[in-house]
């Protein structure tokens, strides 16, 4: 579904990611793991068209999207729930979702919103509540729901579980597995390594802007050497 070839990205003269190769398989959950400052967010933002790509290429669903804008990537079916969630705190749940569906017709956005409410009933109950007054877990649901409003083929989630209670994380991962069962492709960044190794199909370990391992999550789970590497 997504192929990164020798991807370089960063900020002005500073390169944060130094030429990474990564394949994200269609209909699978891939976890991008690595220590603070490794370049995970830079990679996710570059994929979403919000951080400059300085070299290499990105092929999404058979099309080279390296030079496309963020909006053009959204229209082709890629959506990001960014680190820190970036909700509009003073807008309601419903208004935040409307923003996520800005590229769609009214009828399509209404259908997408019904689907989001089916996945996250908590959001339906709080449709008029200010996003800033939601719990952390509800805010993460809203950030994912807003991304789903464009009915993407692929969902990028940066820091899925950060700051959330285990029960809430369980519920969000269960929703991701339900989305996967409907054919969704997911690339997520996750600090909780055991959790990611358990629920992802594939994993990639990014250290200091370079990929040091990619492969099936099961391989990383079953090998003591790899588990230790991922947890270090
Ligand atoms: N806006 C920016 N301007 C300049 N450098 C930046 C900017 N954002 C990030 N960087 C640098 O890029 C590198 C990678 O940062 P990035 O946020 O991608 O890491 P990360 O793996 O997401 O870390 P974390 O786990 O802490 O979220 C770091 O050296 C960081 O200082
Ligand atoms: Mg980050």
């Amino acid at each position: 579904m997504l192929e990164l070839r020798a991807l370089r990205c960063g900020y002005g003269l500073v390169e944060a990611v130094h030429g990474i190769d990564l394949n994200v398989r269609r209909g699978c959950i891939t976890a991008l793991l690595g220590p603070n400052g490794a370049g995970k967010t830079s990679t996710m933002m570059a994929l979403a068209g919000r951080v400059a790509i300085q070299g290499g290429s990105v092929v999404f669903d058979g099309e080279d999207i390296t030079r496309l804008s963020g909006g053009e990537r959204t229209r082709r079916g890629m959506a990001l729930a960014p680190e820190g969630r970036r909700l509009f705190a003073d807008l309601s749940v419903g208004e935040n979702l409307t923003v996520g569906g800005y590229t769609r017709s009214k009828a399509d956005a209404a259908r997408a919103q019904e689907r989001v409410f089916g996945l996250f009933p908590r959001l339906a109950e709080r449709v008029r509540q200010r996003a800033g007054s939601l719990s952390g877990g509800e805010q993460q649901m809203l950030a994912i729901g807003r991304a789903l409003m464009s009915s993407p083929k692929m969902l990028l989630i940066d820091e899925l579980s950060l700051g959330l209670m285990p029960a809430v994380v369980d519920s969000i991962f269960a929703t991701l597995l339900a989305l996967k069962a409907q054919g969704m492709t997911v690339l997520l960044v996750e600090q909780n390594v055991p959790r990611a190794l358990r629920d992802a199909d594939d994993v990639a370990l990014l250290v200091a802007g370079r990929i040091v391992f990619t492969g099936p999550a099961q391989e990383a789970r079953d090998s003591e050497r790899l588990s230790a590497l991922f947890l270090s």
Side-chain angles (χ1 to χ4, degrees), residues 9-12 14-17 33-45 51 83 158-159 162 189 191 206 209:
C9 64
Y11 312 86
V14 181
E15 190 181 275
V17 171
L33 309 175
N36 292 133
K40 304 180 299 292
T41 295
S42 303
T43 302
M44 299 294 262
M45 296 288 274
V51 155
E83 187 177 51
D158 194 353
E159 299 293 4
L162 194 67
V189 168
Q191 297 282 352
L206 185 65

Side-chain angles (χ1 to χ4, degrees), residues 68 77 104 111 113 120 141 149 155 162 200-201 207 224:
L68 296 188
R104 327 280 315 270
R111 263 193 294 276
Q113 180 167 297
F120 298 112
M141 292 173 197
M149 284 296 292
L155 189 55
L162 194 67
D201 300 292
V207 178
E224 254 175 57

Side-chain angles (χ1 to χ4, degrees), residues 3-20:
E3 285 180 38
L4 284 57
R5 290 285 164 265
L7 183 78
R8 298 172 176 274
C9 64
Y11 312 86
L13 294 176
V14 181
E15 190 181 275
V17 171
H18 313 297
I20 60 171

Side-chain angles (χ1 to χ4, degrees), residues 82-105:
E83 187 177 51
R85 293 156 203 158
R86 305 292 172 117
L87 298 170
F88 299 99
D90 289 327
L91 299 186
S92 69
V93 167
E95 288 163 341
N96 270 276
L97 292 176
T98 301
V99 171
Y102 79 100
T103 57
R104 327 280 315 270
S105 71

Side-chain angles (χ1 to χ4, degrees), residues 179-193:
L179 280 166
K180 174 182 138 170
Q182 296 167 18
M184 182 70 77
T185 305
V186 179
L187 176 62
L188 58 87
V189 168
E190 179 53 59
Q191 297 282 352
N192 184 335
V193 174

Side-chain angles (χ1 to χ4, degrees), residues 205-227:
L205 180 58
L206 185 65
V207 178
R210 293 192 165 81
I211 298 261
V212 301
F213 173 84
T214 57
Q218 191 177 357
E219 200 177 309
R221 252 188 334 255
D222 293 349
S223 147
E224 254 175 57
R225 187 186 61 80
L226 279 175
S227 301

